[in-house]
């Protein structure tokens, strides 16, 4: 016989295993929230312990806690034990999960057909009474769930199943409750109690193990893990029926959903409709993929436009910064130029004032030279050139007599000295021509008793 069936493993990490034990044990003295318990079938439930929880927790956290405590000098910063560490970290180092095989409606129809098939072929060696057959059938389902639990730790390298309960006495599908301890690590290598980190450790690459918070990968690995466990549950149930029944039974995992909840006869009756719905579903999926591709193209175009806009905004920002920089430089240049112009104007004013002061000084000097020239005349020295009195020019040094080769006050002092000598000579009985006149060399010089040309100007006069 062949039957398409569902198999689902759901993680319920929010529940505490200790709080579920009374429900799992189905104690008749406890008022359970699930009222649909067939107490006559409770004896077929199976409980098992695969690994000791404390031992697994010590293996996972022990070395980390030891290394941590060895580095601490203050006792209040040490953990001391795994329990103390978990209490301080508020961690929940275990998950609870439910592995469900098939549906009640589907398996009820299957069980009836299997019984009729067994009667026809007489392959079952035990008592073919329906009651005895049902007991054997329930034990087979319990055996399949147990085989699934016992093989869990071999399939999963970083999740350890510690304890389980197989339930066959509830009104729903046959299922298995189990407790597991995730044994993953954080991106930094610290032991982690999170189920998603255990999946990354189990399926991920070395690079992914050191990435923090990759939600999409976590979802992908959760799907991969559920597919693995769903298929394993179906394989274990096939192995159980093959071992305990001689009638060939083949369960096949399927995901067709609501149709599988129909009884077998109803399922066959509506098979054509189901096929049509399946084709419609495939067509919708194809259309959906096309729409997704179109959306992906539009998203890509949008990203390109957004990137181009960002680039443009960045270029405009850089241009604005450059413009402000140039304006600032030009303003600084204008300020420097204004300072230079102001400095130049100030210097011009200083030059004008200096020139005025220099002109005044020159005027005073000229007046002094005029007075000096007059003193030459008082002393009896009259220098003429081209018929003009040039005492003032001689005093300025513009006309230098060859006799003295000097002018100005040195010449005056020399004149005073000579006049004094001449006065002394007069007092001693000598008579000299005091008022002699010296002319330019182009004119005929006045005659003197000595007949010398010492009073003539030099060749430049």
């Amino acid at each position: 016989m062949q039957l398409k069936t569902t198999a689902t493993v759901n993680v319920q990490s929010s529940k505490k295993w200790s709080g579920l034990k009374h429900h799992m044990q189905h104690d008749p003295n406890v008022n359970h929230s699930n009222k649909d318990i067939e107490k006559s079938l409770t004896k077929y439930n199976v409980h098992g312990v695969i690994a000791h929880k404390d031992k697994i927790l010590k293996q996972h956290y022990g070395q980390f806690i030891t290394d941590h405590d060895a580095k601490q000098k203050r006792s209040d910063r040490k953990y001391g034990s795994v329990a103390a560490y978990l209490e301080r970290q508020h961690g929940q180092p275990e998950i609870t999960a439910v592995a469900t095989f098939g549906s009640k409606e589907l398996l009820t129809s299957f069980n009836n057909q299997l019984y009729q098939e067994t009667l026809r072929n007489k392959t079952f060696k035990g008592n073919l009474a329906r009651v005895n057959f049902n007991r054997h059938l329930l034990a087979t389902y319990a055996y399949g769930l147990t085989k699934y639990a016992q093989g869990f730790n071999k399939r999963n390298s970083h999740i350890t199943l510690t304890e389980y309960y197989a339930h066959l006495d509830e009104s729903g599908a046959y299922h298995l409750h189990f407790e597991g301890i995730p044994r993953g690590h954080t991106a930094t290598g610290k032991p982690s109690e999170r189920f998603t980190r255990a999946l990354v450790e189990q399926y991920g690459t070395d690079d992914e193990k050191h990435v923090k918070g990759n939600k999409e990968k976590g979802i992908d690995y959760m799907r991969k893990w559920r597919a693995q466990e769903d298929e394993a549950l179906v394989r274990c149930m096939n192995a159980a029926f093959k071992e305990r029944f001689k009638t060939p039974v083949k369960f096949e995992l399927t995901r067709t959903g609501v149709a599988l909840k129909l009884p077998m006869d109803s399922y066959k009756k509506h098979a054509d409709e189901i096929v049509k719905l399946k084709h419609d579903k495939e067509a919708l999926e194809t259309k959906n993929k096309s729409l997704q591709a179109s959306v992906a193209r539009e998203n890509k175009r949008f990203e390109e436009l957004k990137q181009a806009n960002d680039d443009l905004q960045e270029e405009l920002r850089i241009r604005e910064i450059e413009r402000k920089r140039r304006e600032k430089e030009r303003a600084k240049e204008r300020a420097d130029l204004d300072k230079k112009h102001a400095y130049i104007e100030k210097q011009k004013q200083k030059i004008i004032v200096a020139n005025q002061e220099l002109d005044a000084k020159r005027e005073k000097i000229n007046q002094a030279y005029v007075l000096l020239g007059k003193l030459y005349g008082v002393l009896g020295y009259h220098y003429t050139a081209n018929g003009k009195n040039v005492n003032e020019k001689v005093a300025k040094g513009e006309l230098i007599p060859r006799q003295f080769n000097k002018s100005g006050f040195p010449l005056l002092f020399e004149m005073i000295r000579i006049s004094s000598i001449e006065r002394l000579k007069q007092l001693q009985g000598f008579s000299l021509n005091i008022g002699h006149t010296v002319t330019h060399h182009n004119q005929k010089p006045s005659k003197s008793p000595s007949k010398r040309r010492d009073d003539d100007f030099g060749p430049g006069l």
Side-chain angles (χ1 to χ4, degrees):
M1 294 181 62
Q2 187 171 352
L3 177 66
K4 291 184 177 182
T5 182
T6 57
T8 306
V9 179
N10 290 320
V11 176
Q12 301 171 326
S13 57
S14 62
K15 296 184 179 180
K16 294 285 187 179
W17 181 257
S18 59
L20 293 174
K21 278 192 174 181
H22 292 301
H23 167 72
M24 295 175 185
Q25 293 169 353
H26 284 180
D27 188 342
N29 298 319
V30 175
N31 184 19
H32 297 287
S33 59
N34 186 355
K35 305 300 182 181
D36 297 329
I37 296 177
E38 299 181 31
K39 297 181 180 180
S40 61
L41 302 180
T42 302
K43 59 186 176 182
Y44 296 105
N45 293 345
V46 179
H47 169 250
V49 177
I50 304 296
H52 293 286
K53 177 180 176 180
D54 293 339
K55 183 178 179 180
I56 300 302
L57 290 175
K58 186 174 181 180
Q59 290 176 355
H60 187 46
Y61 295 100
Q63 188 62 46
F64 166 75
I65 294 173
T66 300
D67 294 341
H68 173 273
D69 290 353
K71 297 176 183 178
Q72 306 302 318
K73 295 182 179 180
R74 290 173 47 177
S75 59
D76 60 332
R77 292 183 177 179
K78 296 181 179 181
Y79 297 126
S81 65
V82 175
Y85 168 76
L86 294 175
E87 181 178 358
R88 189 178 299 185
Q89 297 297 319
H90 304 289
Q92 183 177 329
E94 71 275 345
I95 60 166
T96 59
V98 180
T100 305
F101 181 77
S103 65
K104 193 69 174 180
E105 297 85 356
L106 183 62
L107 291 181
T108 298
S109 177
F110 167 75
N111 293 340
N112 292 332
Q113 289 189 20
L114 180 61
Y115 179 65
Q116 297 299 327
E117 184 72 19
T118 303
L119 288 177
R120 285 195 299 270
N121 298 330
K122 297 182 180 181
T123 54
F124 184 66
K125 301 300 181 182
N127 188 348
L128 287 179
R130 184 61 190 261
V131 174
N132 184 63
F133 179 83
N134 287 344
R135 286 199 297 266
H136 188 70
L137 188 62
L138 290 172
T140 302
Y141 282 120
Y143 182 57
L145 293 173
T146 301
K147 287 180 70 67
Y148 167 80
Q150 292 173 344
F152 185 91
N153 292 341
K154 295 180 180 178
R155 296 188 301 273
N156 296 278
S157 58
H158 288 80
I159 308 168
T160 301
L161 189 152
T162 55
E163 189 176 0
Y164 66 88
Y165 283 90
H167 283 172
L168 291 90
D169 59 347
E170 296 183 16
S171 60
Y174 308 132
H175 60 275
L176 179 84
H177 293 275
F178 66 88
E179 178 188 41
I181 298 177
R183 294 183 293 103
H185 292 82
T186 64
T188 58
K190 178 182 175 181
S192 172
E193 64 278 356
R194 293 183 61 188
F195 182 60
T196 53
R197 293 305 304 181
L199 294 180
V200 171
E201 193 96 2
Q202 182 164 309
Y203 297 118
T205 63
D206 291 339
D207 292 337
E208 291 170 349
K209 294 175 184 178
H210 295 89
V211 174
K212 183 178 180 181
N214 193 336
K215 186 176 180 181
E216 293 182 359
K217 279 294 181 183
I219 295 175
D220 290 342
Y221 290 148
M222 174 65 79
R223 290 171 179 167
K224 184 175 182 179
W225 180 79
R226 288 191 61 182
Q228 167 190 296
E229 294 305 306
D230 294 349
E231 292 171 358
L233 181 56
V234 173
R235 286 199 308 271
C236 290
M237 203 60 72
N238 279 331
F241 272 84
K242 182 178 180 180
E243 184 177 338
R244 299 177 66 88
F245 279 85
K246 301 302 179 182
T247 300
V249 175
K250 177 67 174 179
F251 294 108
E252 182 180 347
L253 179 64
T254 185
R255 302 291 188 191
T256 53
V258 179
L260 291 175
K261 295 184 179 180
L262 298 172
M264 184 62 69
D265 54 346
S266 298
Y267 180 79
K268 292 180 178 179
K269 181 178 179 181
H270 297 286
D272 293 339
E273 185 178 352
I274 292 171
V275 171
K276 182 179 181 299
L277 291 174
K278 185 176 180 180
H279 290 163
D280 292 343
K281 179 184 176 183
E282 291 176 352
L284 289 174
E285 288 178 348
T286 301
K287 186 176 181 180
N288 183 50
K289 288 181 180 179
S290 177
L291 290 174
Q292 288 179 348
S294 177
V295 170
R297 287 193 299 271
E298 291 300 323
N299 288 338
K300 184 178 179 181
R301 177 60 179 166
F302 173 77
E303 290 297 328
E304 291 175 351
L305 292 175
K306 183 176 180 299
Q307 183 62 42
N309 181 64
D310 293 342
D311 293 342
L312 179 59
Q313 293 298 326
E314 179 65 17
E315 183 178 353
L316 292 176
R317 186 184 69 83
I318 292 173
R319 288 183 179 180
E320 180 65 15
I321 292 173
E322 183 65 20
R323 183 186 66 80
K324 290 181 178 179
R325 185 188 65 79
R326 288 196 299 268
E327 285 185 355
K328 187 175 181 181
E329 289 180 351
R330 285 195 291 267
K332 186 176 181 301
E333 290 175 356
R334 285 194 297 269
D336 293 342
L337 190 58
D338 291 341
K339 288 181 180 179
K340 290 179 180 179
H341 287 165
Y343 177 77
I344 291 171
E345 290 298 325
K346 187 175 180 181
Q347 294 302 315
K348 285 181 179 180
Q349 294 300 323
K350 287 183 178 180
I351 291 171
I352 291 172
V353 172
N355 288 335
Q356 291 174 351
E357 292 176 353
L358 184 58
D359 291 342
K361 289 180 180 180
R362 285 175 179 172
E363 182 62 26
K364 289 181 180 180
I365 292 172
N366 288 335
Q367 292 176 1
Y369 282 129
V370 170
L371 181 59
L372 191 60
K374 290 179 179 181
L375 288 176
Y376 290 170
V378 172
L379 292 175
Y381 289 85
H382 299 282
Y383 300 98
T384 60
N386 297 323
K388 292 182 180 180
N389 189 319
V390 292
N391 282 358
E392 181 183 350
K393 292 187 178 181
V394 172
K396 291 181 180 180
E398 296 178 5
L399 298 173
I400 301 173
R402 186 189 309 156
Q403 180 182 2
F404 301 105
N405 196 24
K406 60 185 69 172
S407 63
F409 287 100
L411 180 59
L412 177 62
F413 295 151
E414 187 67 21
M415 289 179 179
I416 294 171
R417 184 182 67 81
I418 294 172
S419 296
S420 299
I421 294 173
E422 290 179 348
R423 182 63 179 162
L424 287 174
K425 287 181 180 182
Q426 287 179 358
L427 292 176
Q428 292 174 1
F430 294 95
S431 177
L432 295 175
N433 183 14
I434 298 173
H436 62 272
T437 302
V438 180
T439 59
H440 192 272
H441 68 278
N442 291 332
Q443 298 176 353
K444 292 182 180 181
S446 60
K447 295 182 180 178
S448 66
S450 61
K451 298 182 181 181
R452 293 185 300 174
R453 300 180 61 84
D454 294 337
D455 298 290
D456 291 349
F457 290 105
L461 295 178

